[in-house]
Amino acid sequence: MLKDICANRFSARKYKDTPVSDDDLRYIFECVRLAPSAVNRQPWKFTVVKSEEAKEKVRKSYQRDWFNTAPMYIIAYKNTNEEWVRKYDNKPHGDIDVTIALEHLALAATERGLGTCWVCAFNPEVLSQELPQEECWKPVAIFAIGHIAEDCPRNEKTRKDTKDFVEQI
């Protein structure tokens, strides 16, 4: 059930050395492929970072000990030339579209028994220097992903009650 997957997903901050299988990656990206986007533009791309050399480059943009335990990273980019822009206020929706796709990724990984952690506090300038992209590709988030270590810290999930954020008129 989706509710169970949502309840089990958490920000995993310690991983085993075990690599993520190609089968798991295919499944996860098939779920990502199915994510909706504004006007179906799908203004995204994802870089799977597995090599030690590339992981070291990514780590320069976000320097935390726990982050170094992840066996791989997935960098999510938006294409600023392809993102849909709402005409009434010129609001670009690329970040929103990529975020929807990333939540599909997080839930699919959880379903497969993998852990993920959203990283948005990275330095985008450093990341772009280390892993250059065409100007239109802007990094939105980095996902640490892998098999969760047995001693991974797991905070109790506390959320607002629905009555605190749902309004009916």
Side-chain angles (χ1 to χ4, degrees), residues 26-35 101 104-105 107-108 111:
R26 276 190 296 276
Y27 179 81
I28 289 166
F29 280 112
E30 180 60 20
C31 292
V32 169
R33 188 183 73 79
L34 297 171
H104 276 57
L105 186 154
L107 296 176
E111 182 184 22

Side-chain angles (χ1 to χ4, degrees), residues 17-53:
D17 290 338
T18 310
V20 175
S21 74
D22 290 340
D23 186 52
D24 283 339
L25 275 179
R26 276 190 296 276
Y27 179 81
I28 289 166
F29 280 112
E30 180 60 20
C31 292
V32 169
R33 188 183 73 79
L34 297 171
S37 62
V39 195
N40 199 30
R41 295 272 178 95
Q42 303 168 56
W44 52 57
K45 81 172 177 179
F46 302 89
T47 300
V48 177
V49 181
K50 291 183 178 181
S51 76
E52 286 305 315
E53 179 184 348

